[in-house]
Amino acid sequence: MRYFARKIGFFVLTLWAVVTLNFLIPRLQPGDPAELMVQNLAGKNAQLNRAQVEAMRDLLGAPSGSLFSQYWSYLGQLAHGDLGISYTYFPYTVAEVIGKAFWWTVILVGAVQLLSFAIGILLGAFAAWRRNSRFDTSVTVISTFVGTLQPFWIALLLIYGLGYGLGWFPTAGGYEASTPGFNGAFLYDALSHAFLPALTLMIVTPIGWILGMRNTMIMNLGEDYIRLARAKGLPDRMIALRYAARNALLPSVAGFALALGGILGGTILVESVFDYPGLGRLMGEAVGIKDYPLLQGLMLLTAVATLVANLIADLLYGVLDPRARRAAA
Amino acid sequence: MSTVATETVTAPAVADRWYRVVWSSKKARVGIVVVAIYTLVALLAPVIAPYGPTDGSFTPLTGPSAQHLLGTNVAGVDVFSQVIYGSRVSLIVGLLGGLLATAIALVIGMVSGYAEGTFVDDVLTFLTNTALVIPVLPLIITLVAYSDTRGIPLIVGVIAFTSWAGAARSKRAQIITLRNRDFVTAAKFSGDGTFRIIFSEILPNMTSLVAAAFVGAATGAIGAEAGLAVLGLGSSDSVSWGTILYQADAAGAISQGLFVWVFVPGLVLAILITSMAFIIFGIDLLSNPHLRED
């Protein structure tokens, strides 16, 4: 029980740290968002109109009062799911803008993460089982090399090859001809648009799992219980899958959440390259047009999503591995 | 007699000199040579590049030709010259970002590991674990996006500030295995202060681990800079490979068939990062003699 209490305690503390960091970042920066927005509307060299800036500040609900009272009202707003108003999609709120992009990314990243996990675990386990075979060497060498490639570059190459060169897949956007909704035409349209972004991520993300799984599995294969299993005359298949691979899975489960943070980072660049209507492109867009409330909202959402995933992985780990529970007690 | 004795004692030590061990790995040799070539190119950029990196006096958006090996961009700048000068940004960001991130990781990891189990360790470990779970790239992007003028120091600082956590965690684990050795106890009894023990007694025993961590951090910094620049958040006063890709993407290079414009900057980046990974293989031979080839 102590294990779970500690993990939940860590989650609450990190959540607080992330929320506070998100509050502090814009306040540590020079410049006034309201001033900036009026300047953008009026043109670069126009004289700033004080009254307009004041009006904009009220409109945006921009902070006033002491830092402490700002922090207090910020926490209150967050509790109500209020992330402020987007500069660019005005009058839509940040929460509404994010809500529109949310599912595009969740489905893309979710599918990629699960598939990469499965593929990576299988390849890694098999490479370790047939250690130093031709299969093992090629998997290790290819993974090490592909792991050094930048996702956005792979994205550009895929657009060139499979998009423009062969014309097999659409190269930008999330859908075009159909109306969003639950119908066959739209699903086909969305899937064909999601294919290249997903393929890009699928080339990069399994690598960590492959190499990690291979290493832990090789370590486990040297353990006494494997020797015992062999001495008992158990079939190879059973030793590989039920004994070695099953135990080697544990560190991968723990790494699942941390990898999610990495994928979300890669998604920003990949979605931007493909103009895919998800959270990543939204973030790239918010950077380009200095939509700070939107940027902050996205940062917070990404961080909280990773923290929640991390908590789930930690709790799951505690259930799966009794040693972890005992070590903390 | 005594000279003979010293010779027999020092002979094996000479054979195990660190540069020989690293050089003995084929991968590390390739890595070191490639990084050396990149460094030369960066230093000699004005000599090698046919034109200036901002010289926009050519016909915009032309394909590869004898005058412009990689064509020209929207502003009429020679892309090949941009790629040559771009090596400077990547190497300097890698060097400085790697140094700074490693320094932060060392201080936090070593102090926390040496003080294992105390309040100081709890606080530093919490800091490290928090920094580890916050997704790095979104945080870097948010921090950098607030600045209108972005110099290399800002980019280096933000990258280092956000990416030390993994290394700090492994440094903490490594010092825990070292801190109860006899030489540390001896230093304690001779009255050395904590910082002196950590940084001048224990640290020299971890040189190869620190070197590997530095190359790893430098690789990460180079990748992060490229990612920022691809989003248009690169340094505002110099051109990096990521900036070239950003410009190429914005100009629709691919739909116009200007393939090399996109291909080459990403390729030189990938080669640099692969070479640095190769160097880490070589350094790992120092800390783990089992890996050495005969």
Side-chain angles (χ1 to χ4, degrees):
Chain A
M1 239 28 251
R2 236 182 101 200
Y3 172 83
F4 297 106
R6 271 183 74 127
K7 292 299 172 188
I8 291 170
F10 177 71
F11 170 74
V12 173
L13 271 176
T14 40
L15 189 67
W16 169 78
V18 162
V19 164
T20 308
L21 189 68
N22 197 54
F23 168 79
L24 285 176
I25 290 175
R27 283 163 183 82
L28 292 173
Q29 313 282 345
D32 176 355
E35 227 167 70
L36 201 107
M37 198 172 165
V38 172
Q39 192 81 68
N40 280 350
L41 288 175
K44 220 164 180 75
N45 299 314
Q47 189 71 34
L48 266 185
N49 183 336
R50 277 285 119 203
Q52 277 179 359
V53 173
E54 281 309 316
M56 187 60 79
R57 193 167 291 151
D58 288 342
L59 198 64
L60 294 171
S64 56
S66 75
L67 202 62
F68 184 75
S69 68
Q70 283 180 36
Y71 185 55
W72 198 241
S73 63
Y74 161 81
L75 289 182
Q77 281 178 355
L78 270 193
H80 292 97
D82 177 5
L83 296 166
I85 293 168
S86 163
Y87 291 178
T88 30
Y89 293 92
F90 184 82
Y92 287 103
T93 65
V94 168
E96 284 167 331
V97 176
I98 289 181
K100 278 193 192 123
F102 186 71
W103 290 107
W104 291 95
T105 297
V106 169
I107 291 172
L108 177 70
V109 168
V112 165
Q113 171 99 335
L114 289 175
L115 259 177
S116 313
F117 184 74
I119 292 176
I121 292 299
L122 286 176
L123 285 182
F126 197 70
W129 183 248
R130 297 247 181 280
R131 197 182 170 190
N132 294 329
S133 67
R134 190 175 296 166
F135 176 79
D136 177 33
T137 323
S138 32
V139 163
T140 321
V141 170
I142 294 174
S143 310
T144 313
F145 177 69
V146 174
T148 65
L149 301 179
Q150 302 293 322
F152 52 82
W153 189 58
I154 299 178
L156 289 170
L157 294 190
L158 285 178
I159 291 185
Y160 182 77
L162 299 181
Y164 284 99
L166 297 170
W168 288 355
F169 300 101
T171 55
Y175 59 94
E176 47 203 343
S178 50
T179 26
F182 198 77
N183 56 65
F186 173 71
L187 285 182
Y188 173 77
D189 200 12
L191 276 179
S192 67
H193 279 83
F195 186 82
L196 282 186
L199 183 63
T200 309
L201 293 170
M202 283 301 302
I203 290 176
V204 204
T205 39
I207 289 171
W209 307 119
I210 295 178
L211 298 177
M213 181 69 183
R214 180 178 173 275
N215 285 347
T216 27
M217 176 105 169
I218 284 177
M219 241 157 46
N220 278 353
L221 284 173
E223 299 272 342
D224 284 342
Y225 69 87
I226 298 288
R227 205 165 300 144
L228 176 70
R230 275 190 216 279
K232 281 198 293 190
L234 290 180
D236 271 3
R237 237 182 108 82
M238 196 172 189
I239 299 177
L241 294 176
R242 307 270 308 266
Y243 282 62
R246 212 170 146 194
N247 280 304
L249 258 177
L250 284 172
S252 299
V253 171
F256 196 79
L258 290 184
L260 183 69
I263 298 190
L264 286 173
T267 322
I268 300 173
L269 298 165
V270 171
E271 283 188 4
S272 299
V273 171
F274 284 104
D275 213 15
Y276 185 81
L279 299 172
R281 187 195 68 174
L282 207 55
M283 190 156 193
E285 207 177 275
V287 165
I289 42 196
K290 297 190 181 299
D291 189 340
Y292 294 127
L294 184 56
L295 190 59
Q296 295 286 144
L298 286 165
M299 215 289 274
L300 189 66
L301 179 71
T302 318
V304 170
T306 320
L307 289 186
V308 171
N310 198 49
L311 176 69
I312 294 172
D314 275 345
L315 297 182
L316 192 62
Y317 195 83
V319 174
L320 292 177
D321 189 351
R323 286 171 303 181
R325 264 174 284 155
R326 231 172 287 139
Chain B
M1 279 300 279
S2 64
T3 47
V4 177
T6 32
E7 259 177 41
T8 46
V9 170
T10 49
V14 171
D16 269 337
R17 284 288 186 183
W18 62 268
Y19 45 86
R20 286 190 202 194
V21 174
V22 174
W23 195 251
S24 74
S25 147
K26 204 188 288 169
K27 278 182 183 163
R29 276 203 297 273
V30 173
I32 291 169
V33 170
V34 172
V35 171
I37 295 174
Y38 272 68
T39 314
L40 269 181
V41 168
L43 290 174
L44 299 176
V47 184
I48 298 171
Y51 314 103
T54 47
D55 177 4
S57 58
F58 309 103
T59 319
L61 291 177
T62 55
S65 63
Q67 284 81 41
H68 305 288
L69 290 175
L70 306 178
T72 53
N73 71 10
V74 180
V77 179
D78 179 49
V79 175
F80 179 67
S81 304
Q82 281 189 313
V83 171
I84 298 289
Y85 276 95
S87 61
R88 293 185 156 188
V89 179
S90 283
L91 289 177
I92 204 89
V93 168
L95 179 70
L96 299 180
L99 279 178
L100 193 55
T102 313
I104 301 176
L106 270 182
V107 171
I108 292 186
M110 306 271 290
V111 170
S112 146
Y114 188 75
E116 192 204 358
T118 64
F119 179 69
V120 175
D121 176 39
D122 285 344
V123 171
L124 291 178
T125 305
F126 172 70
L127 201 66
T128 310
N129 287 339
T130 308
L132 209 58
V133 286
I134 298 178
V136 173
L137 199 60
L139 182 61
I140 295 183
I141 289 173
T142 310
L143 284 170
V144 172
Y146 277 97
S147 317
D148 269 330
T149 45
R150 294 178 294 270
I152 301 272
L154 174 85
I155 290 170
V156 166
V158 168
I159 290 175
F161 171 71
T162 49
S163 53
W164 50 269
R169 184 139 96 169
S170 61
K171 287 292 151 299
R172 177 177 178 276
Q174 285 153 7
I175 196 177
I176 287 175
T177 68
L178 281 174
R179 68 179 186 150
N180 288 326
R181 301 281 175 89
D182 286 344
F183 70 92
V184 179
T185 319
K188 252 185 232 167
F189 284 147
S190 67
D192 284 347
T194 308
F195 273 87
R196 203 190 134 72
I197 295 178
I198 295 178
F199 292 103
S200 66
E201 298 288 340
I202 301 182
L203 188 58
N205 292 290
M206 300 171 54
T207 317
S208 63
L209 296 170
V210 174
F214 163 70
V215 182
T219 314
I222 291 174
E225 189 280 332
L228 278 178
V230 166
L231 278 178
L233 286 174
S235 157
S236 27
D237 44 68
S238 46
V239 173
S240 78
W241 297 326
T243 318
I244 303 175
L245 286 173
Y246 168 68
Q247 292 168 346
D249 193 37
I254 287 176
S255 54
Q256 304 197 36
L258 300 170
F259 179 63
V260 283
W261 186 5
V262 171
F263 183 68
V264 175
L267 184 68
V268 288
L269 180 67
I271 292 175
L272 177 61
I273 292 182
T274 310
S275 314
M276 293 177 65
F278 280 176
I279 294 180
I280 296 182
F281 277 115
I283 301 176
D284 281 344
L285 299 183
L286 290 172
S287 36
N288 189 352
H290 296 297
L291 297 171
R292 290 183 199 172
E293 300 151 20
D294 294 315

